[in-house]
């Protein structure tokens, strides 16, 4: 057998027997297992460090609790419960609640399972790019710390479980397609891709891209077309069945077709808040563009040069440590890695050109690089320039960063030094997230069905609100909370009187607002709470003053404001959280607040 190399586990496994081969094989295999576990250990460390600090009670997290709870209680998705995503994630969550109990930890267990599967899929794809388990594991560990624990994008409890499950499903469909050697695995790739396609509308093309190109390039045409067609049909069915059952207008109003056309408020929020970080396009390209990209290019170029220069290991280590210190001293807004996101698109173009030249006998390694970069491309629609918004970046950036870092690793001479440098950079990102946690004091909140850490002022509001709702209303009665009722209704086991579970600008049209008014009376809403969660991303609109005007006009006619819970926000308050709530009770038997 041939002698095993230092960098290839496949060489070790396929090496022939030699003297003492039992011991010789046992050590590399143990070492390989250690490298394979490294990204998972990084994920576990970050999970413990941020434990149960992932929940945003009045932004996104609430609907991720209430929607499956309503389904578990017997309501039907889309007909009685609005949801902007595909049906699969909500019903899987509902199944978890029925199986494990109606508790936050049941949902958390499901999300952690998907998160760990996602880390493993990313590691396997990184191995295909680097061909070195050590480098692949270190690249993945870095991506875990840099991307998977941003505010709102925390994988243990993200802003959208559909984004988590769809992303992980696409990655596994891609891995299965790239490793397929026959019908069985190709069909499995198609099934996994089809299930991923049914999570979010934008996952439908992403899943097809994950399955079809890899199979069409590598496998017989009939096998590839059948598996790809299965992915497309499963994904299309997930969206077509609700449309056929409830009609286009209903699904446009209460489900995933709200994206056609995208509400004007969402367009403005996305254009300025996500793409250009709150600035105009002119300001972005004129100033912030260079302010972020130039440091990123210089930083990564310096690291690549140091990892290729023939200098002493000690001097190289010191120089790389200085680069890491510069990051700790704070390059602005992830500037040290910003260029990695669009670099993935450049790599895709290069690999596509090379694949075209080799179209009659393509290099398997190039096929893998092309397919992985291609799957990263659709997700970059939300983060085309660099990591400015980690809510979306938690799902759009990981694969792009993996492609770019693997490419950089292939350029340097001393790859082990570069891999260790990535470990140091991962430590810096972990340290920054720990610092961010320290800047925002939290308290342990233990209310029925939910036990989490929340910002101090928000924790007080949650306790007061839960106590009020449980004290003054009956179980299973109707309570309305704005803008995001999910957290409070889930923890108190009260029901939402409306179809929608969130009340943001652009969500409810005139018809939906009329239905809200009708249900306000038909379902005898016993209590209304309106929190001070501000809509900074939409221009700070207010209820009754540009948002749900007719509905709140009816509320003011039939309900009294009786008290205010919580307190005024202090300087530690973050704008998308809430610190106080106005309580409204039915006029009959109520007294106005002073």
């Amino acid at each position: 057998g041939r002698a095993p190399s230092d960098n290839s586990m496949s060489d070790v496994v396929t090496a022939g027997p030699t003297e003492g081969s039992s011991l010789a094989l046992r050590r590399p295999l143990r070492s390989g297992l250690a490298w394979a576990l490294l990204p998972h250990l990084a994920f576990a460390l970050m999970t413990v460090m941020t434990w149960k600090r992932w929940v945003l009670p009045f932004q996104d997290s609430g609907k991720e609790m209430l929607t499956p709870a309503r389904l578990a209680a017997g309501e039907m998705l889309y007909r009685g419960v609005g949801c902007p995503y595909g049906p699969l994630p909500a019903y899987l969550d509902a199944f978890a609640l029925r199986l494990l109990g109606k508790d936050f930890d049941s949902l958390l267990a499901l999300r952690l399972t998907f998160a760990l599967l996602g880390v493993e899929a990313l590691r396997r794809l990184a191995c295909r790019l680097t061909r070195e388990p050590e480098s692949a594991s270190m690249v993945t560990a870095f991506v875990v710390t840099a991307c998977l624990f941003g505010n709102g994008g925390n994988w243990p409890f993200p802003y959208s479980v559909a984004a988590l499950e769809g992303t992980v499903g696409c990655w596994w469909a891609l891995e299965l397609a790239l490793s397929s050697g026959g019908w069985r695995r190709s069909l499995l790739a198609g099934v996994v891709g089809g299930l991923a396609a049914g999570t979010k509308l934008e996952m439908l093309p992403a899943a097809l891209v994950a399955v079809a190109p890899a199979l069409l390039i590598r496998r017989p045409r009939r096998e590839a077309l059948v598996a790809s067609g299965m992915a497309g049909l499963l994904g299309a069915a997930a969206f077509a069945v609700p449309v056929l059952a409830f009609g286009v207008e209903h699904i446009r109003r209460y489900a995933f077709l709200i994206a056609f056309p995208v509400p004007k408020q969402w367009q403005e929020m996305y254009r300025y808040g996500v793409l250009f970080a709150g600035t105009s396009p002119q300001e972005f390209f004129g100033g912030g563009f260079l302010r972020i990209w130039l440091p990123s290019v210089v930083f990564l170029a310096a690291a690549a040069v140091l990892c290729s220069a023939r200098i002493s290991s000690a001097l190289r280590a010191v120089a790389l440590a200085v680069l890491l210190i510069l990051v700790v001293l704070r390059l602005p807004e992830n500037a040290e890695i910003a260029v990695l996101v669009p670099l993935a698109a450049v790599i895709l173009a290069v690999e596509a050109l090379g694949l075209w030249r080799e179209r009659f006998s393509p290099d398997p390694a190039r096929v893998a690089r092309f397919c992985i970069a291609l799957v990263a491309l659709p997700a970059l629609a939300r983060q085309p320039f660099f990591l400015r918004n980690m809510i979306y970046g938690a799902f759009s950036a990981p694969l792009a960063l993996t492609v770019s870092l693997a490419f950089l690793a292939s350029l340097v001479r001393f790859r082990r030094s570069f891999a260790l440098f990535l470990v140091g950079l991962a430590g810096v990102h972990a340290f920054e997230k720990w610092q961010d946690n320290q800047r925002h004091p939290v308290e342990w909140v233990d209310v029925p069905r939910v036990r989490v850490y929340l910002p101090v002022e928000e924790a007080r509001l949650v306790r007061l609100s839960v106590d009020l709702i449980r004290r003054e209303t009956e179980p299973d009665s109707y309570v309305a909370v704005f803008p995001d009722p999910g957290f409070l209704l889930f923890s108190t086991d009260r029901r939402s009187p409306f179809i929608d579970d969130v009340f943001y600008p652009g969500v409810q049209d005139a018809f939906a607002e009329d239905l809200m008014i009708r249900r306000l009376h038909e379902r005898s809403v016993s209590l209304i709470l309106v929190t001070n969660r501000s809509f900074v991303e939409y221009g700070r609109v207010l209820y009754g003053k540009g948002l749900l005007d007719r509905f709140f006009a009816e509320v003011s006619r039939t309900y009294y404001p009786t008290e205010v819970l919580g307190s005024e926000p202090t300087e530690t308050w973050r704008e998308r959280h809430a610190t106080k709530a106005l309580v409204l009770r039915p006029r009959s038997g109520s007294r106005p607040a002073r």
Side-chain angles (χ1 to χ4, degrees):
R2 57 195 177 98
S5 67
D6 291 337
N7 293 327
S8 174
M9 282 304 301
S10 60
D11 288 344
V12 174
V13 173
T14 58
T18 60
E19 183 179 355
S21 61
S22 176
L23 180 62
L25 284 172
R26 193 180 300 123
R27 286 176 178 171
L29 287 174
R30 286 178 179 174
S31 175
L33 179 61
W35 286 115
L37 290 175
L38 177 64
H40 297 280
L41 292 174
F43 181 84
L45 176 64
M46 294 296 295
T47 300
V48 171
M49 190 175 71
T50 61
W51 182 245
K52 290 195 172 182
R53 288 171 168 82
W54 319 298
V55 171
L56 304 171
F58 305 106
Q59 179 191 351
D60 296 324
S61 297
K63 65 177 173 54
E64 297 299 309
M65 298 178 188
L66 185 58
T67 297
R70 295 177 70 175
L71 300 185
E75 295 188 68
M76 181 176 288
L77 192 67
Y78 304 137
R79 185 178 70 181
V81 183
C83 178
Y85 307 127
L88 299 180
Y91 277 110
L92 187 58
D93 272 358
F95 175 75
L97 291 176
R98 286 175 176 169
L99 181 67
L100 304 175
K102 194 174 178 182
D103 190 276
F104 169 78
D105 290 340
S106 301
L107 299 175
L108 176 58
L110 183 62
R111 283 152 177 72
L112 285 172
T113 300
F114 271 96
L116 290 171
L117 288 172
V119 171
E120 177 60 18
L122 193 63
R123 185 194 69 83
R124 294 186 180 209
L125 294 173
C127 282
R128 295 186 178 278
L129 294 171
T130 65
R131 297 185 180 182
E132 298 173 352
E134 299 95 333
S135 295
S137 291
M138 290 184 180
V139 165
T140 310
F142 165 73
V143 172
V144 165
T145 58
C147 298
L148 272 54
F149 289 86
N151 184 36
N154 289 289
W155 276 41
F157 209 89
Y159 84 99
S160 165
V161 67
L164 172 64
E165 293 174 1
T167 299
V168 172
C170 284
W171 291 355
W172 272 107
L174 173 61
E175 169 60 23
L176 290 167
L178 289 173
S179 62
S180 175
W183 275 91
R184 181 179 297 180
R185 185 156 290 200
S186 294
L187 291 177
L188 182 58
V191 170
V192 172
L195 293 175
T199 58
K200 295 184 74 178
L201 200 58
E202 62 263 38
M203 287 295 174
L204 182 56
L208 292 177
V209 168
V211 175
L215 292 179
L216 287 170
I217 295 173
R218 299 181 59 257
R219 304 299 304 156
R221 180 168 297 179
R222 183 184 175 191
E223 177 184 321
L225 289 175
V226 169
S228 302
M230 181 178 294
L233 287 174
L234 284 174
F239 299 105
V241 170
V243 172
L244 293 175
F246 303 116
V248 173
E249 277 304 307
H250 184 88
I251 298 300
R252 187 193 62 78
R253 185 173 293 115
Y254 295 112
F256 43 84
L257 290 185
I258 192 174
F260 298 102
V262 176
K264 182 179 179 181
Q265 297 94 327
W266 294 14
Q267 294 178 30
E268 294 299 310
M269 183 272 291
Y270 178 65
R271 182 180 299 119
Y272 293 101
V274 178
L275 287 183
F276 303 112
T279 64
S280 68
Q282 294 78 11
E283 292 171 331
F284 171 77
F285 286 105
F289 188 77
L290 292 178
R291 185 172 64 88
I292 302 296
W293 268 21
L294 183 59
S296 182
V297 172
V298 171
F299 178 84
L300 292 171
V305 168
L306 289 170
C307 291
S308 296
R310 292 188 176 276
I311 56 178
S312 70
S313 298
L315 182 58
R316 183 183 302 111
V318 170
L320 292 175
V322 170
L323 283 181
L324 295 176
I325 291 172
L326 289 177
V327 180
V328 174
L329 294 177
R330 201 60 190 168
L331 285 173
E333 303 181 51
N334 296 316
E336 71 279 3
I337 59 171
V339 76
L340 294 177
V341 174
L343 178 60
V346 176
I347 294 170
L348 172 63
V350 172
E351 296 298 342
L353 181 61
L355 201 60
W356 173 254
R357 290 173 177 171
E358 301 172 358
R359 59 188 179 276
F360 299 111
S361 182
D363 176 16
R366 186 182 295 278
V367 172
R369 291 195 298 269
F370 169 78
C371 291
I372 294 172
L374 186 64
V375 173
L377 188 63
L380 297 182
R382 279 183 164 173
Q383 299 278 284
F385 302 117
F386 39 70
L387 297 175
R388 303 298 293 272
N389 187 311
M390 286 309 301
I391 295 177
Y392 301 137
F395 303 99
S396 63
L399 198 57
L401 262 62
T402 301
V403 169
S404 299
L405 287 171
F407 170 75
L408 291 178
S410 69
L411 298 180
V412 301
R413 186 187 302 272
F414 301 102
R415 296 187 181 182
R416 197 155 291 180
S417 295
F418 186 74
L420 291 173
F421 169 71
L422 289 181
V423 171
L425 195 56
V428 169
H429 278 262
F431 175 72
E432 288 181 344
K433 288 176 174 58
W434 177 82
Q435 277 190 317
D436 185 62
N437 285 338
Q438 301 307 306
R439 282 194 291 268
H440 301 287
V442 295
E443 283 185 358
W444 181 249
V445 175
D446 188 351
V447 295
R449 298 178 176 172
V450 184
R451 291 159 298 280
V452 293
Y453 286 101
L454 295 177
V456 174
E457 295 163 294
E458 193 166 53
R460 181 170 181 265
L461 174 61
V462 165
R463 292 192 194 98
L464 291 172
S465 300
V466 168
D467 180 67
L468 175 71
I469 293 171
R470 286 168 58 84
R471 186 177 66 250
E472 297 197 7
T473 64
E474 296 296 325
D476 209 35
S477 61
Y478 290 104
V479 174
V481 182
F482 296 90
D484 197 325
F487 186 98
L488 295 181
L489 298 189
F490 181 87
S491 59
T492 57
D493 194 25
R494 270 36 173 196
R495 302 178 66 184
S496 173
F498 312 117
I499 294 181
D500 287 317
D501 280 343
V502 294
F503 304 93
Y504 295 164
V507 175
Q508 287 79 28
D509 62 7
F511 181 92
E513 195 170 358
D514 288 339
L515 181 58
M516 288 176 62
I517 293 172
R518 190 162 67 249
R519 289 196 170 190
L520 179 71
H521 302 299
E522 290 177 351
R523 301 196 168 183
S524 301
V525 176
S526 53
L527 202 64
I528 298 177
L529 278 75
V530 182
T531 70
N532 67 332
R533 190 279 208 218
S534 61
F535 297 103
V536 291
E537 66 271 44
Y538 299 102
R540 298 182 183 276
V541 295
L542 300 173
Y543 289 118
K545 296 182 178 179
L547 176 58
L548 297 179
D549 291 346
R550 287 185 297 108
F551 173 79
F552 274 95
E554 181 64 18
V555 167
S556 65
R557 190 180 68 81
T558 54
Y559 285 78
Y560 276 124
T562 59
E563 61 185 292
V564 175
L565 301 178
S567 59
E568 291 293 333
T570 63
E571 59 183 15
T572 62
W573 180 62
R574 287 176 284 182
E575 289 179 314
R576 295 184 183 181
H577 291 254
T579 63
K580 64 178 182 177
L582 178 66
V583 180
L584 299 102
R585 295 182 174 86
R587 278 184 177 272
S588 176
S590 296
R591 293 181 301 172
R594 294 182 179 179

